[in-house]
Amino acid sequence: MQDELDGDDDVPIPASDDQPLEVDVRIDDDISSAVLEAFGGDTSHIINRFEIAASAAAQHRGFTSGEIGIFATTDPAIREINRLHLSHDYATDVISFSYQCESPLVQGELTVSLEMALAQSRRIGRPPIDEAILYVIHGVLHVTGMDDHDVDDRRAMRTCEQAVLRQLGLPDAERFDADRFDALDGLDPTDSAPTRST
């Protein structure tokens, strides 16, 4: 689903575990107006929904303090991040960087492609914002220490994703399960599919 990187080479921003969890969302200026229009045209709406989703995912995992940064961007920009940091020369849906992860304190960041979310949402018949929220949840679960490289870990990740989606009141969360669409595409849902979105 996504690519991830442990931020061992990066210095985390100091935080104490008595600070509330802060979520900082930035929207890339290079995102086209057509893509933004598909998401409702209001960047403050995207920012608000991402903040809520990230907080819910972190709290679901027991993380209540620290900082998570989210950068919503384009396919070319996320491809460049993927190439520079992970040596993968392709666009993906979400890339996460975990800097500190000791409950209740978490620090990390993720990059989400709104263009990938829009393309995937059109393919499966889901609202683009709901698809992008799934990427945010998935990325935050990675930042908080979850993995999805083997069958059991992937199952646990999907269970958490579905629980957070239901908590957020997103309709038909189970209907849009990532593994279901991997299977429809002929992909083995137990395999990692880095160029596919969730």
Side-chain angles (χ1 to χ4, degrees), residues 5-183:
L5 175 69
D6 290 327
D8 295 336
D9 296 334
D10 296 308
V11 177
I13 301 165
S16 66
D17 51 0
D18 60 348
Q19 291 180 311
L21 180 67
E22 292 183 25
V23 179
D24 178 42
V25 180
R26 293 183 305 120
I27 308 288
D28 192 336
D29 291 336
D30 290 338
I31 295 174
S32 73
S33 59
V35 170
L36 291 176
E37 188 61 36
F39 279 83
D42 181 7
T43 57
S44 63
H45 176 69
I46 297 169
I47 290 168
N48 181 258
R49 297 288 304 273
F50 280 11
E51 288 172 346
I52 292 168
S55 294
Q59 290 174 10
H60 182 78
R61 296 269 298 137
F63 292 88
T64 56
S65 64
E67 187 172 358
I68 297 173
I70 302 172
F71 182 52
T73 192
T74 63
D75 280 353
I78 204 168
R79 179 178 184 162
E80 183 64 10
I81 292 167
N82 208 10
R83 187 185 66 74
L84 286 173
H85 295 282
L86 298 169
S87 301
H88 299 157
D89 193 12
Y90 50 78
T92 189
D93 48 9
V94 57
I95 298 174
S96 62
F97 301 87
S98 183
Y99 303 127
Q100 186 169 357
C101 178
E102 277 186 54
S103 184
L105 180 65
V106 63
Q107 290 195 1
E109 59 187 341
L110 45 136
T111 301
V112 174
S113 173
L114 293 188
E115 291 178 347
M116 181 81 66
L118 177 58
Q120 184 70 352
S121 71
R122 287 177 172 163
R123 189 179 77 80
I124 64 177
R126 169 184 224 178
I129 190 66
D130 291 358
E131 183 70 9
I133 285 170
L134 178 57
Y135 301 170
V136 168
I137 293 167
H138 186 85
V140 170
L141 294 178
H142 274 295
V143 166
T144 61
M146 293 193 81
D147 209 339
D148 59 356
H149 293 299
D150 67 40
V151 175
D152 291 338
D153 289 345
R154 187 175 174 106
R155 188 175 297 121
M157 175 79 79
R158 294 296 183 248
T159 299
C160 281
E161 289 169 355
Q162 292 299 312
V164 176
L165 288 168
R166 281 191 303 273
Q167 177 187 338
L168 295 174
L170 292 179
D172 298 326
E174 291 82 9
R175 191 174 132 219
F176 294 106
D177 181 70
D179 291 333
R180 177 173 179 256
F181 286 97
D182 287 347

